[in-house]
């Protein structure tokens, strides 16, 4: 039997706050079993790179 492990970071665009920031969500998949939770971080959706699964830039907002 082959074991698999994947981690996906994505943003939840439907849950923006007053500043327009959205929460970063984490999905962990082990052998097809999923678990999802919030990373307790909010980012501006304009700096989120969907393909890389991370925020892009050198500002303090990206580093937090």
């Amino acid at each position: 039997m082959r074991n698999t492990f994947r981690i996906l970071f994505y943003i939840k665009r439907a849950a923006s706050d007053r500043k327009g920031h959205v929460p970063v969500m984490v999905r962990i998949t082990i052998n097809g079993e999923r678990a999802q939770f919030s990373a307790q971080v909010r980012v501006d959706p304009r700096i989120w790179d969907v393909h890389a699964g991370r925020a892009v830039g050198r500002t303090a907002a990206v580093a937090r």
Side-chain angles (χ1 to χ4, degrees):
M1 184 172 129
R2 184 173 179 189
N3 294 323
T4 61
F5 177 79
R6 300 222 183 238
I7 298 177
L8 173 69
F9 293 93
Y10 64 97
I11 58 173
K12 192 171 182 180
R13 292 187 188 269
S16 64
D17 61 7
R18 282 184 257 138
K19 295 180 183 178
H21 294 147
V22 294
V24 176
M25 303 296 290
V26 181
R27 178 182 294 153
I28 298 176
T29 308
I30 301 173
N31 295 332
E33 296 288 325
R34 287 189 206 165
Q36 295 182 158
F37 56 91
S38 173
Q40 301 298 314
V41 176
R42 290 185 169 268
V43 297
D44 186 345
R46 294 176 293 177
I47 63 172
W48 187 259
D49 184 354
V50 175
H51 300 291
R54 65 185 184 99
V56 177
R58 295 185 178 176
T59 63
V62 175
R64 57 180 177 122

